[in-house]
Amino acid sequence: MLKIQELRELIKLVDQSSIDEFSYELDGSKIKMKKNKAVTYVEEKAATQNNEVHKAEEAVSTPAAPAQAPKAPEAPVKEEAPAPAADENLHKIVSPMVGTFYQSPSPDAGAYVKAGSKVTDDSVVCIVEAMKLFNEIEAEVKGEIVEILVKDGQLVEYGQPLFLVKPE
């Protein structure tokens, strides 16, 4: 079974390539991705005890993307204003999936990171909840958090920038 990081990489590669459909099967797990007008659908099925998890990921990836379309005009209007002002050498940490952004592991706990926090490649910077599954998002770069681009509890889309990081 593939890890979240490996799924992210596959999604990025398929998204950036000219192929429209991608299928992969290994040890009873099957991943199928199709591109359709800038929307990437990810389906993962497994014949293991984690089948419920995969069905939840499939449900998040397929129906949730079209469901977000009506809300898309609101968020980008607010989000795009800071992006052009951003320094070009800043690294963007983007959402690997559609879901709800949370800055802390629980409502009464402190945020994982704040502006000015130092992060490493494997530092957890936030959680994105999708279908009651809480996915920890790692920084993937060593540096300093310059700006947090989304608010706690905000819905985020696949590929939406969450943080700006000044790499070291």
Side-chain angles (χ1 to χ4, degrees):
M1 178 159 40
L2 295 175
K3 297 178 183 176
I4 284 285
Q5 185 64 21
E6 293 168 327
L7 282 172
R8 283 186 205 162
E9 291 300 317
L10 278 174
I11 291 169
K12 285 179 190 175
L13 290 171
V14 170
D15 190 41
Q16 294 170 354
S17 72
S18 62
I19 63 173
D20 292 327
E21 188 172 333
F22 173 80
S23 294
Y24 179 76
E25 189 168 350
L26 179 68
D27 299 333
S29 293
K30 183 177 181 182
I31 296 174
K32 186 174 182 180
M33 295 183 220
K34 293 182 183 179
K35 288 198 297 188
N36 185 14
K37 296 184 182 179
V39 177
T40 302
Y41 296 97
V42 178
E43 298 178 15
E44 183 172 339
K45 299 177 183 176
T48 64
Q49 65 188 27
N50 294 330
N51 200 17
E52 290 178 42
V53 171
H54 298 299
K55 285 182 181 177
E57 289 176 1
E58 178 181 287
V60 165
S61 301
T62 307
Q68 293 296 335
K71 295 186 181 192
E74 293 177 15
V77 173
K78 296 176 186 175
E79 299 300 324
E80 289 179 13
D87 193 1
E88 288 184 17
N89 64 353
L90 295 179
H91 175 78
K92 292 179 184 174
I93 300 175
V94 297
S95 178
M97 63 192 71
V98 174
T100 305
F101 171 86
Y102 293 109
Q103 290 182 320
S104 59
S106 66
D108 51 339
Y112 284 110
V113 294
K114 297 177 182 174
S117 297
K118 300 284 185 186
V119 294
T120 60
D121 296 347
D122 58 352
S123 296
V124 175
V125 293
C126 67
I127 293 175
V128 174
E129 176 199 2
M131 298 294 292
K132 303 294 182 194
L133 295 174
F134 293 86
N135 303 284
E136 293 182 338
I137 309 304
E138 296 178 350
E140 299 177 355
V141 66
K142 184 176 181 180
E144 178 182 342
I145 301 288
V146 174
E147 187 176 357
I148 301 172
L149 302 172
V150 292
K151 295 179 181 164
D152 197 43
Q154 181 179 334
L155 293 175
V156 294
E157 296 185 18
Y158 167 76
Q160 179 179 344
L162 305 174
F163 299 91
L164 293 178
V165 180
K166 181 178 180 183
E168 288 185 357

